[in-house]
Amino acid sequence: MTSPFLSLNHVSARYGGSDDDALHDISVGINAGEVIGVLGSSGSGKTTLLRVIAGLHATSEGSIILDGLDVTTTPTHLRGVGLMFQEHALFPHLNVSDNVAFGLRMAKTPKSERSIRVAEVLELVGLAGFGTRDVASLSGGERQRVALARTLALSPRLILLDEPMGSLDRVLRDRLVPELRELIDDLGLTALYVTHDRSEAFELANRIAVLDEGSVVQFDTPGVLDARPATEHVARLLGHR
Amino acid sequence: MVSALPLNRPAPSGGSQRKVWWRLLAATPPLVFLGVFFAWPVGAILLRGLHPGETWNFGAFGDVLSDPTMQRILWFTVWESVASTVLCVLVALPGAALFARFRFRGKRLLWSALLVPFVLPTVVVGVSMLGVIGGGGLTGVNLTGTVWAILIAHVFFNYAVVVRTVGSTWSTIDPRLEESARALGAPPWRVFTEVTWPLLRSSVAAASSIVFLFSFTSFGIILILGGISHRTLEVEIYDQTAKFLHLDIAAVLAIVQLFVVVAILVWFGRSQRRRSVLFDQRSATETEHLPETARQRWFIRSNLVFMAVLLGTPLVLLVVRSFSTPEGWGLGFYRALTDSRGGSTSFVPPIDAIGNSLLFASIATVIALVLGLCAAWAIVGDGSAGSDSRFGRWTDTALMIPLGTSAVTVGFGFLIVFDEPPINLRSSIWLIPIAHALVALPFVVRLLVPGLRSIDPRLREAAATLGASPRRVWWSVDVPIVGKALAAAAGFAFAISLGEFGATAFLVRPDRPTMPIAIYRALGRPGEYNFGQAMAMSTILMLLTVVVMLIIDRFRPAGVSEF
């Protein structure tokens, strides 16, 4: 049996000033090419889990192994993990293509290569020709695509998505989720997708981790999860009863 | 059932017509005040410099500006201000980051306490600096007369301007922008240069322009710490007028200074419009967090220690030394304040200055509040869409000009205009409060306008639909909300008047000194007891100012500029 692409071994984390773990003894393994849904109500620790994997928040215990290397104490900018926030966090002082090119610029990619790559990913997310637009002039859906393009530009080995549809309306979400699914499949991405929306998780994920009060209470495929929820809480979260 | 409430709403067209009239009427008193007590004196200075005799003469400029001494003064004023500004920004940026990003015990109190040096009278700043870096001070190093004393004092004085202006902008920047940059491979220093700095730049520019102006027109600090070799334009204008009676030279210098100040303000306004980046602002409580790592705890601790050393030491030392008489610890210096010795007929016991200062400050506060309220109301209108008109913006700009004008210029202008008919106020007690009100007015307006703007027009409409007459609406909606801003503005005006030195130095009569004047006089007399009296008086003035400032901070409305 091959070792997983990303594994968390007994990972705990806490916030300053609090004695309670925000994440408690989490051990999961994720294989290359898998899309993992992270499902939980607000305050369950889903966002903290992503932050710990991205290196934005320190672990208090345990280790994180990424692609065979222990990255537990590696600073964020050296982890090579893509990250996308709910509010998209586009740089307001840069236009669309400068936003997308940001990571490439940090990686010192030559200018000519950079513009080719930017055009490529903008094309990929369906925003060809948007390069010179001011990010403030974009619609919610367009902002979401720019954020995705910015994350994809560096071809990260793992992408972390924190409720990327969270700030969009239902109609837009129903259109964008299948698109995202297709993109993930085409590019063969390994991804963690945080959401509190059951249908989004079921539509996108190969496997779903359900979090409750900082612990993983169940980690299974959508089918198993639906058929045999491990606890009352999981069942309620899935909308049973 | 159909509501039968009487809705006595005026017809739209007639109503808006009437509104414009009311706003013009409201703008009249402050604009007339500015015209008489600012434009006229400044115009008189211009005339004195450019039209000394019967004809226009621009040659005086050439004469003054080609004088090597004047060139040296001008050059020193410029580079001392640039150096103060750069140093202050560099030193204060970590402090701004501290307040923007971390939650720690005593944060709110410290945020208020930072303002203490800034609201302190410059004379007190100078005196407390003497306690640290003067001869026989704490450090044992005597920096008086060196440019370092001036730079350190300017940083001490302006630290809060940068920390509070930049810090409050910084706290609205979404940390996720910085985190996104990190995830995209930016090391910490590049996160700062590529993301944080571009978003902070306009607030740094705003703070810098204020620090620059205060350093450029610095007077009290330079007089006390600069020695004979370091002089700013402001000091030279004073000396040329008060010591050498060269009013023409002083006029030319005042014009040069005014020109530089206006140029800076215009440049700043332009660059501000060009550079400012609009971004979604987060609330400060959302962006702050408790320290997580040892490094963050170290950052907080070292920042706090730095603030204690920079801001705390001089003030604590001032108080301590005011009790340390040659005969040991005691109230000797304070008791000496009531003595009327001094050997001069014009000498008054320094304790009288406290009464004078409180009287002047009360009058100045009333004048500034009444005019400020009129002006703020004219600027804001009724808060409905489109009432933020060009008229409002012009009134706003006009009222800001005195902010950039040096106090010495104001005092000098008063001196040449109001000591002869038609208005002879030279011997009246009104002159000083009027000058103080003029200096305070921009601050008062700056505090009142956001207060008025914060009134949701829907509140007024709601009150009107419930049958309240316009006067009732004003009394039951506007007044309670503006009350807080008014209290804060009153505090600021009072504190400014208590500490005003530059204009007062021109206008004061020997028998009616204010506290800053009394302190400066005491410093100028030899002997340990006179120096001790300056310390004691400074301590009293500091306490008064701190009390007033605590009141301000209690009532400060949300979203008001940070100084």
Side-chain angles (χ1 to χ4, degrees), chain A residues 32 85 153 179:
Chain A
F85 287 110
E179 270 186 37

Side-chain angles (χ1 to χ4, degrees), chain A residues 14-17 51 55-58 76-77 81-83 85 87-93 99 102-103 105-106 108 143 150-151 154, chain B residues 174-188 190-191 194-196 198-199 277-280 282 286 290-293:
Chain A
R14 59 180 52 172
Y15 283 99
R51 295 176 63 84
L56 294 170
H57 195 92
T76 304
H77 65 277
V81 169
L83 176 65
F85 287 110
E87 279 92 0
H88 312 317
L90 299 181
F91 302 129
H93 57 296
N99 260 280
F102 189 90
R105 208 151 52 82
M106 294 304 115
K108 300 200 175 69
R143 294 173 68 86
R150 187 176 68 177
T151 313
L154 282 173
Chain B
D174 192 339
R176 277 167 291 205
L177 290 175
E178 292 155 339
E179 289 169 354
S180 294
R182 275 160 74 189
L184 290 167
R190 289 209 78 178
V191 172
E194 298 287 337
V195 178
T196 317
L199 299 180
V277 180
L278 290 174
F279 57 92
D280 293 335
R282 301 282 148 196
E286 209 183 325
L290 288 161
E292 308 278 353
T293 62

Side-chain angles (χ1 to χ4, degrees), chain B residues 94-104 107 111 163 166-173 175 200 283-289:
Chain B
L98 172 75
F99 280 102
R101 288 295 181 243
F102 293 105
R103 201 181 315 155
F104 53 90
K107 181 175 178 178
W111 182 252
V163 168
V166 179
S168 57
T169 302
W170 203 330
S171 70
T172 65
I173 297 177
L200 280 184
S283 80
T285 45
E286 209 183 325
T287 58
E288 63 170 16
H289 62 86

Side-chain angles (χ1 to χ4, degrees), chain B residues 116-199:
Chain B
V116 171
F118 179 67
V119 294
L120 278 188
T122 52
V123 179
V124 177
V125 172
V127 173
S128 35
M129 278 296 149
L130 283 180
V132 184
I133 51 175
L138 178 72
T139 53
V141 191
N142 188 357
L143 291 177
T144 39
T146 70
V147 73
W148 287 108
I150 295 171
L151 294 185
I152 292 170
H154 282 167
V155 170
F156 170 83
F157 181 69
N158 291 304
Y159 183 77
V161 174
V162 180
V163 168
R164 292 179 60 121
T165 313
V166 179
S168 57
T169 302
W170 203 330
S171 70
T172 65
I173 297 177
D174 192 339
R176 277 167 291 205
L177 290 175
E178 292 155 339
E179 289 169 354
S180 294
R182 275 160 74 189
L184 290 167
W189 67 273
R190 289 209 78 178
V191 172
F192 182 78
T193 57
E194 298 287 337
V195 178
T196 317
W197 179 253
L199 299 180

Side-chain angles (χ1 to χ4, degrees), chain A residues 70-146:
Chain A
D70 186 335
V71 296
T72 316
T73 55
T74 308
T76 304
H77 65 277
L78 301 176
R79 281 198 196 188
V81 169
L83 176 65
M84 195 174 142
F85 287 110
Q86 176 177 348
E87 279 92 0
H88 312 317
L90 299 181
F91 302 129
H93 57 296
L94 302 177
N95 66 17
V96 169
S97 57
D98 288 341
N99 260 280
V100 177
F102 189 90
L104 299 164
R105 208 151 52 82
M106 294 304 115
K108 300 200 175 69
T109 312
K111 207 166 181 180
S112 53
E113 246 172 84
R114 229 191 286 159
S115 49
I116 294 170
R117 179 68 184 149
V118 169
E120 218 170 79
V121 281
L122 280 178
E123 171 97 53
L124 196 64
V125 298
L127 287 181
F130 273 64
T132 54
R133 287 275 291 273
D134 188 354
V135 292
S137 71
L138 302 178
S139 69
E142 287 163 352
R143 294 173 68 86
Q144 199 254 9
R145 288 160 197 250
V146 174

